[in-house]
């Protein structure tokens, strides 16, 4: 499962439910704030500048997980 969000609480939710998380920096969280999450707070699996970039990463990651036998 994946969760795409634009707020820290979205990333927290993804962690609680065991989903991969993508933080999009077009909303509440700015790119510098997103980088700061790497050292404090919930760390997203990916940080994307746009929703399209988030979708591209999700498809790439899902394909990688599928081919490694880990599934979704």
């Amino acid at each position: 499962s994946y969760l795409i969000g634009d707020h820290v609480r979205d990333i927290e939710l993804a962690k609680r439910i065991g989903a991969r998380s993508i933080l999009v920096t077009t909303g509440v969280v700015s790119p510098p704030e997103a980088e700061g999450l790497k050292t404090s707070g919930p760390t997203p699996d990916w940080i994307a500048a746009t929703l399209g970039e988030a979708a591209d990463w999700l498809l790439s990651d899902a394909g990688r997980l599928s081919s490694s036998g880990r599934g979704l």
Side-chain angles (χ1 to χ4, degrees):
S1 296
Y2 290 83
L3 192 145
I4 299 173
D6 66 349
H7 198 280
V8 173
R9 68 177 169 244
D10 299 325
I11 305 310
E12 292 168 344
L13 173 61
K15 300 302 179 189
R16 282 196 306 270
I17 64 172
R20 308 270 293 157
S21 60
I22 305 168
L23 178 65
V24 180
T25 59
T26 57
V28 177
V29 178
S30 69
E33 291 171 318
E35 288 299 317
L37 291 176
K38 292 180 180 177
T39 57
S40 66
T43 304
D45 293 294
W46 187 255
I47 298 171
T50 66
L51 187 55
E53 184 181 306
D56 289 344
W57 182 84
L58 186 155
L59 293 171
S60 173
D61 188 61
R64 183 183 57 78
L65 292 176
S66 178
S67 67
S68 72
R70 290 182 15 186
L72 297 176

